Amino acid sequence: IRTGTPMSDVIIGVRENGRVARWLSVNTHPLFRGSSRTPHAAVTVFRDVSDERQLEEERASQAEARELQNQELLVQAEALERGQALFRSLVDTAGSAIVGLDLDGRVFEWNREAELLFGVSRADAIGRNYANEFVPDEHRDRMRDGIAAVLGGDALRNHTGPVRGANGERRTVIWNITPLRAGPEGLVHGLIAAGLDITEREASDER
């Protein structure tokens, strides 16, 4: 005030019992006499902005909470992406054909070995009904029964059966099939099967 400089919307806190009880917005306008450059008084207007200040603090707190939540989601997304990349790498480098089926028996996973075995790309296999599309007619019911058993919670080990391989060629595959669960005691939401082509070995044994 002594400098003659006006103040506009300066926020000050008013303390009661050792803590800030109210927030005030202060506006001052110096008063001069004649040509004096030194003010002899000032007009000061105080406006209670406690509610506005509280609202701003709440918004800032909410914004900070949202930012922290977004950062946590980003970390989780990155971890999920890394996990999916690792899963994709493990599946694609496996020495067995890996096939994943949902509850409707439709393909949701199909690795490179499966592409070679069946002669169908992953993009073309996804969403197709496995038993209808990739199992010979005469063995379809048996395969459906096996899929139903696994989706019911039972794992299948060394399950041997024919498939329609690349170029329509019949191939014999030995499967190990495991139900997929959402947690150790969760509901089954699909299955994952690892298959090994034993066609040549079977022919050799017959000779």
Side-chain angles (χ1 to χ4, degrees):
I1 295 174
R2 290 175 180 173
T3 65
T5 303
M7 294 191 304
S8 177
D9 289 328
V10 175
I11 305 299
I12 63 173
V14 179
R15 288 183 171 273
E16 291 181 7
N17 301 323
R19 66 181 183 85
V20 175
R22 308 296 296 175
W23 293 96
L24 303 177
S25 172
V26 182
N27 291 272
T28 65
H29 183 75
L31 301 176
F32 301 90
R33 284 177 178 161
S35 60
S36 175
R37 294 185 177 181
T38 302
H40 70 93
V43 175
T44 304
V45 178
F46 296 92
R47 185 168 65 91
D48 191 335
V49 294
S50 301
D51 292 341
E52 296 175 19
R53 178 88 176 197
Q54 182 178 2
L55 183 59
E56 289 177 0
E57 289 177 349
E58 289 175 355
R59 286 174 176 170
S61 178
Q62 291 172 356
E64 183 179 1
R66 284 195 298 270
E67 178 62 24
L68 290 174
Q69 186 179 38
N70 289 339
Q71 291 178 3
E72 178 64 23
L73 289 174
L74 180 61
V75 170
Q76 292 177 1
E78 291 175 346
L80 179 61
E81 185 176 349
R82 288 195 298 270
Q84 289 176 336
L86 176 59
F87 173 76
R88 182 85 262 132
S89 175
L90 291 173
V91 167
D92 281 341
T93 56
S96 301
I98 304 296
V99 176
L101 304 182
D102 63 17
L103 291 175
D104 294 323
R106 296 189 178 279
V107 176
F108 71 83
E109 182 55 67
W110 193 264
N111 73 344
R112 291 173 185 170
E113 289 295 325
E115 290 181 325
L116 294 174
L117 173 63
F118 293 95
V120 177
S121 70
R122 185 174 191 274
D124 288 337
I126 298 298
R128 293 167 69 174
N129 186 285
Y130 176 79
N132 290 348
E133 300 279 351
F134 303 107
V135 179
D137 295 347
E138 64 273 22
H139 294 275
R140 200 166 288 160
D141 289 341
R142 179 170 174 263
M143 176 56 70
R144 288 197 185 106
D145 290 342
I147 291 173
V150 177
L151 293 177
D154 298 327
L156 284 183
R157 297 288 180 262
N158 300 322
H159 179 83
T160 303
V163 301
R164 289 177 180 167
N167 301 318
E169 182 182 6
R170 177 172 169 146
R171 310 293 295 181
T172 301
V173 179
I174 184 169
W175 296 100
N176 286 300
I177 313 174
T178 302
L180 292 176
R181 300 178 184 274
E185 303 299 327
L187 295 175
V188 174
H189 60 85
L191 63 82
I192 198 79
L196 184 65
D197 187 349
I198 60 170
T199 305
E200 281 73 23
R201 188 178 74 187
E202 191 177 58
S204 177
D205 290 344
E206 290 177 356
R207 288 197 298 268

